[in-house]
Amino acid sequence: MKNSANFLKTLVDIECVKFGDFTLKSGRQSPIYIDLRNIVSHPAVLTDLSYLFKDKISNSIQRICGVPYAALPIATVVSIQTGLPMIIKRKEVKKYGTKKIVEGEYNVGDKVLLIEDVITSGESLIETIKELESEGLLIEQIIVVLDREQGGVKRLIDKGYQVESLFSISSLVEVLFKERKIDNVIYTNVLHFIQQNSIIDSPLIKPKKYLQKTHSNKTAQRLLEIAHNKKSNLIASVDLITTKDIIELLNKIGNDICAVKLHIDIIIDFTPSFIEELLTVANRYDFLIIEDRKFADIGNTQLLQLSKGMYAISSWADMVTIHLIAGESALKAIQDWDSEKKPALIPVIEMSSTGALTDHDYIEKCKKIMYNYNNVIGAVCQTAELNEGFLKFTPGVNLASKNDDKGQNYNSPEYAIEQLYSDFLIIGRGIYSANDPKNEIGKYLFAVREFNFFGS
Ligand code: BMP
């Protein structure tokens, strides 16, 4: 028997689940299309499915019935697998002969397991239930293969039925994402779609989040204070290549950001005097500095890269990014480093780009390592969930675009805060490429302030 992850991957292979841009019956656009009817042509998949059902069926069940038509073959294999007899509910009442609505043998009072392939609003299940009940059958249990998370399950539970689903769309995409069957863009698009289309009690409606006020790390505490004072959790990623452009931009948007993120090594006219200018603007407008160096080497080399060379990063950066690819020793070397000025660390544990290799296992390994170090204040990530107190920094935020042509993927500020639970939004081209960056950053500020994210 295959496991659930393999089963879900197969659903994509046999095109029962497709990703793209689909127009639904309702006229709405959807990034996912589900039609399990194709399963009927794949006996091995049907057999796998029957195993998944087998464990869930309660002992009291006496008859199995599938909602016509899609669930009929599923009910059949489950019946064969369990030895429980099946009945069929007709879709249309026969106009001749017995005029029966339910075919097969049953007795009034028999306890029925009702099977459905996909549940949306629950409408067709309710219809079937009514007809079975009018024949004197008792609906003991309902199992659906896939819950579209649009209120159907809740509706039936509210009516007193025992309903469960083998999978939900969220669990489906979660598994496919972890298994690298879909990328981050598809994953977030589908989650977004489910959230937008859920009617009642979607598991994706998460409790409201506020930006925390305190932190045990001094730099993180300072960052949080600035964010709360300015009511801005925006970090400008100023990926400009001349010192003049960088300083000019910071003079325009300095009051609206809590930090600037730089790639110091892309500046073509760098001299140490730039650092003095940078620190002066940072002081003037009160924001912190992140150098997005993404260290990724053995401990000893990292210490040299941090402190030496013409950039001498550790002498001016409040925070630096680091990859944990070299393992825990890279963090330990920085923690044990006897230096007066040590930037706080923000490991990059999940990347925003299409095809990023930062899969679930990698993220989990990174988290396990980084939680042991108090100079690690959080992580750069997208969907990863961090332990309480660790700050989530999310790049790939843009109001105007969904992606660029070089693999970058974007989410809106709303989505980053409400769905990804980000603490700090990192915005690059969305601001610095705008015709009027000051005006543009106002739109991002408006979006984040709308949530009362900073409390009252
Ligand atoms: P932009 O908003 O222009 O796409 O810029 C995003 C910035 O965030 C870039 O400086 C990039 O290096 C950085 N970044 C990212 O985009 N994705 C990641 O996963 C990690 C990053 O540091």
Side-chain angles (χ1 to χ4, degrees):
M1 191 194 110
K2 287 185 184 174
N3 63 24
S4 322
N6 284 335
F7 173 77
L8 293 176
K9 284 196 285 181
T10 311
L11 288 188
V12 179
D13 295 336
I14 63 172
E15 300 198 336
C16 283
V17 175
K18 295 188 216 174
F19 297 94
D21 198 7
F22 305 97
T23 307
L24 300 178
K25 243 196 279 172
S26 60
R28 273 196 304 246
Q29 293 303 113
S30 165
I32 182 168
Y33 183 78
I34 297 164
D35 183 354
L36 299 190
R37 275 172 288 208
N38 230 19
I39 287 188
V40 71
S41 305
H42 298 268
V45 183
L46 270 174
T47 310
D48 288 341
L49 187 53
S50 70
Y51 283 115
L52 296 174
F53 267 89
K54 202 175 170 187
D55 299 337
K56 302 220 170 243
I57 301 174
S58 78
N59 290 333
S60 53
I61 294 298
Q62 294 165 301
R63 293 284 182 276
I64 292 181
C65 181
V67 176
Y69 291 107
L72 293 185
I74 302 172
T76 310
V77 285
V78 175
S79 165
I80 293 167
Q81 191 60 248
T82 55
L84 287 165
M86 183 177 154
I87 49 175
I88 294 179
K89 192 206 79 83
R90 287 186 154 275
K91 212 167 162 115
E92 307 84 18
V93 183
K94 266 198 326 195
K95 294 197 175 68
Y96 53 90
T98 58
K99 296 197 178 163
K100 272 167 109 180
I101 182 101
V102 179
E103 303 284 358
E105 292 173 12
Y106 60 92
N107 298 308
V108 168
D110 274 354
K111 293 178 174 160
V112 176
L113 161 68
L114 191 54
I115 292 178
E116 175 65 303
D117 62 339
V118 178
I119 182 167
T120 308
S121 66
E123 202 52 53
S124 47
L125 263 165
I126 289 172
E127 222 170 88
T128 307
I129 291 170
K130 269 195 222 149
E131 284 170 330
L132 293 177
E133 285 180 339
S134 68
E135 292 294 305
L137 291 160
L138 301 177
I139 308 302
E140 179 81 352
Q141 192 182 11
I142 302 169
I143 306 181
V144 299
V145 180
L146 197 96
D147 176 9
R148 292 194 74 111
E149 296 170 59
Q150 289 180 38
V153 169
K154 167 111 175 37
R155 198 167 162 198
L156 288 163
I157 289 173
D158 286 349
K159 285 181 182 288
Y161 295 103
Q162 193 205 314
V163 193
E164 54 191 309
S165 60
L166 299 183
F167 307 102
S168 61
I169 305 200
S170 326
S171 70
L172 165 81
V173 289
E174 183 81 36
V175 169
L176 295 177
F177 178 61
K178 280 180 191 159
E179 297 278 331
R180 288 281 154 203
K181 194 87 181 160
I182 56 173
D183 63 24
N184 181 44
V185 195
I186 297 180
Y187 176 59
T188 47
N189 277 348
V190 176
L191 289 190
H192 192 53
F193 171 79
I194 306 167
Q195 201 268 328
Q196 297 273 305
N197 289 280
S198 67
I199 300 166
I200 350 173
D201 279 5
S202 158
L204 281 165
I205 299 176
K206 300 180 177 178
K208 171 140 184 54
K209 166 164 184 166
Y210 298 96
L211 183 65
Q212 66 194 71
K213 291 214 154 118
T214 55
H215 202 286
S216 55
N217 177 287
K218 259 169 56 187
T219 308
Q221 176 64 41
R222 184 85 194 92
L223 182 67
L224 287 167
E225 276 167 17
I226 297 174
H228 277 286
N229 285 343
K230 292 187 175 177
K231 292 205 183 320
S232 168
N233 62 338
L234 305 184
I235 296 175
S237 178
V238 182
D239 301 337
L240 296 168
I241 59 168
T242 67
T243 53
K244 178 172 163 287
D245 285 350
I246 294 172
I247 299 296
E248 234 173 63
L249 179 69
L250 289 175
N251 271 317
K252 284 183 191 151
I253 61 168
N255 278 329
D256 303 322
I257 56 174
C258 58
V260 62
K261 182 179 80 62
L262 295 176
H263 286 288
I264 199 75
D265 54 357
I266 64 173
I267 300 173
I268 54 175
D269 59 347
F270 177 86
T271 60
S273 67
F274 168 68
I275 298 301
E276 275 167 45
E277 272 186 278
L278 178 66
L279 292 171
T280 308
V281 254
N283 254 329
R284 184 181 308 143
Y285 299 106
D286 195 20
F287 58 77
L288 298 188
I289 305 170
I290 304 174
E291 165 50 28
D292 194 3
R293 172 62 179 76
K294 297 192 180 74
F295 295 96
D297 216 314
I298 58 166
N300 187 58
T301 307
Q302 278 185 169
L303 297 187
L304 294 169
Q305 290 169 325
L306 254 170
S307 57
K308 309 293 179 197
M310 68 172 166
Y311 300 123
I313 294 167
S314 60
S315 68
W316 50 269
D318 297 296
M319 293 159 270
V320 293
T321 55
I322 177 168
H323 280 302
L324 300 184
I325 189 76
E328 184 162 1
S329 54
L331 286 181
K332 185 159 183 337
I334 298 175
Q335 173 152 296
D336 295 346
W337 184 31
D338 186 18
S339 160
E340 284 206 343
K341 187 120 182 14
K342 279 198 254 185
L345 303 177
I346 314 176
V348 181
I349 65 169
E350 183 184 15
M351 294 206 67
S352 59
S353 44
T354 302
L357 302 181
T358 51
D359 63 9
H360 179 69
D361 283 355
Y362 179 80
I363 292 170
E364 291 306 310
K365 283 183 201 161
C366 288
K367 288 202 290 196
K368 220 168 140 199
I369 296 177
M370 69 181 222
Y371 289 150
N372 300 329
Y373 293 85
N374 54 18
N375 54 344
V376 171
I377 62 171
V380 172
C381 55
Q382 302 288 316
T383 57
E385 285 175 23
L386 303 181
N387 274 5
E388 217 184 306
F390 284 84
L391 303 172
K392 182 162 178 172
F393 296 80
T394 301
V397 175
N398 196 304
L399 274 170
S401 309
K402 284 215 157 317
N403 45 50
D404 67 8
D405 59 356
K406 297 180 186 69
Q408 174 69 304
N409 300 302
Y410 291 118
N411 288 303
S412 65
E414 290 88 344
Y415 190 74
I417 290 182
E418 279 198 323
Q419 291 304 318
L420 300 178
Y421 264 22
S422 304
D423 294 297
F424 292 95
L425 310 186
I426 299 176
I427 307 149
R429 283 162 285 181
I431 293 170
Y432 72 75
S433 293
N435 288 336
D436 181 350
K438 175 73 187 167
N439 181 51
E440 197 64 20
I441 202 169
K443 297 181 192 166
Y444 287 84
L445 277 178
F446 181 79
V448 297
R449 286 172 183 166
E450 278 252 294
F451 297 110
N452 190 22
F453 181 58
F454 303 99
S456 43

